[in-house]
Every structure is written in structure tokens, then in C-alpha cells.
Amino acid sequence: LKAGISCACGRSSSSSPPSFVPRMPEDGVAAAVKDSFGLPVTTASAECAKAVSDYYEAVLAYRPFAAWGAAAEAALAADSRCPLARVVAADYAFCSGDAARAKALADDLAGELGTEAAEAWSWRERRYAHAWIRWVKEGDPPGCYDALAEVADQHPEDLFAVKRGHIMGLILGDGDRILSIVERVGQKAALAEVA
């Protein structure tokens, strides 16, 4: 495997973001705090960004739910207004069976979209918020998949978006979606290596 490309089981061959993937501008967002994929996180807390990254790793490495929960709670404790902290907390809550908490977090994100606060979020963070609102609040896995596919298209290094898009394909029983999101990212990585 090339560095940073996910194998079929979802594990990454490298814990660092792949260096061969071009990054798209983030609407002029100049966040100094970045996640493990090298992408901006709207927070002033390095601890929050680290906890969000720990959550990605826990999910991608198939760690026990306790590791997911610890990372999600650490992210919220470090910065409860960080959009990605709320996304990973909603993800953990929904995946562990706490639909009420997941919906409350999605409601919070939905209430903030379109406000001045959300204007400070990166395009990617807004797409993540839309994805989780669609999945958790609206019961719309295809809409969630579409938002995650957009993230994966713009940021192929974001393996969490790829993994969650893959899961939406499984939920939908749609083999084409399962394969498509992985293939698109793989093709972008291959083209970037050639260039």
C-alpha cells in the first residue's frame, strides 16, 4: 500500500496524511489548528483537534466503542462549539445507540448553520454538519452519502469521510456507492502520484 491509502479493512497504512494529495482552498479559512489529515479545524484548542483526530483513528482502526466515546467526549470537553467535535460526538452517539443525544447534537449543528458562527467554519466542516444532519436528524442516508462524497472529492486525504461514506453505502445496500467513494479517492491519489 502507498502511504496513507486505506486498505479494504479501513486501516490506514500510515498515520500521517498522504503528501501526494493536492489540497483545495478552504474558503479563505486560516485555521492554525489542523486535524490528523492536515485539514483545518475551527477551534482554538489543539486538544480538541487532537481528540477529533483520535476519534478518526479509533473508527478507522476498528477500536472498541469505549475509545470512540473517550475521544468524542474529550473533543467536546476541549471545545463544545467546535463543529467537528459535535460531528464526532453525534457519530459516536448514533453508532452506540444513543439516538436522542445524536439528534440533539445534529439539532445544535442545524441551528447554527446559516449563522455568523457557521460562516467561520470551513467548507468541509459545513459539509460534515450537513451530512450528519441528513443522517441523524432527517433519516436520509443518501443525502449523508452525497455530502461525504463531496468532502472525499475535495479532500481525498480525509479517510474518515471515505469510511463514513462507505458505511452509508452499506446501510443503503448499494454496492455501487460502496465502491464508488473508494475508487474516486484511489483514482485521485493515483493521478496525483503521476503528476
Side-chain angles (χ1 to χ4, degrees), residues 1-194:
L1 287 175
K2 299 286 184 190
I5 296 187
S6 178
C7 67
C9 68
R11 292 178 190 251
S12 175
S13 62
S14 169
S15 61
S16 61
S19 60
F20 56 83
V21 178
R23 295 204 166 88
M24 299 298 291
E26 281 285 345
D27 300 336
V29 173
V33 182
K34 297 190 178 192
D35 64 15
S36 57
F37 302 126
L39 297 168
V41 178
T42 303
T43 183
S45 170
E47 294 82 16
C48 178
K50 182 183 181 320
V52 167
S53 294
D54 289 347
Y55 187 83
Y56 301 154
E57 184 176 329
V59 171
L60 293 170
Y62 294 97
R63 292 206 167 77
F65 271 141
W68 298 28
E73 291 307 317
L76 281 177
D79 183 353
S80 64
R81 301 314 306 156
C82 171
L84 288 177
R86 290 180 278 167
V87 164
V88 300
D91 185 72
Y92 169 69
F94 209 57
C95 290
S96 63
D98 190 348
R101 181 158 193 241
K103 287 180 181 177
L105 288 158
D107 283 342
D108 187 47
L109 287 165
E112 202 164 323
L113 280 173
T115 69
E116 190 174 314
E119 293 300 315
W121 301 355
S122 68
W123 171 88
R124 174 179 165 251
E125 290 170 318
R126 289 190 299 274
R127 296 313 304 147
Y128 263 114
H130 283 288
W132 264 256
I133 290 163
R134 287 181 178 140
W135 181 28
V136 172
K137 185 177 175 182
E138 298 172 2
D140 180 15
C144 178
Y145 176 92
D146 292 342
L148 292 168
E150 290 174 9
V151 171
D153 283 343
Q154 292 295 316
H155 298 287
E157 68 274 31
D158 186 342
L159 298 179
F160 186 69
V162 175
K163 174 73 172 178
R164 281 296 175 248
H166 189 257
I167 293 297
M168 289 303 116
L170 278 169
I171 288 169
L172 294 166
D174 188 335
D176 289 338
R177 287 182 198 237
I178 292 168
L179 186 58
S180 172
I181 197 163
V182 174
E183 280 184 334
R184 292 189 323 215
V185 168
Q187 289 169 352
K188 285 181 181 250
L191 289 173
E193 283 185 347
V194 171

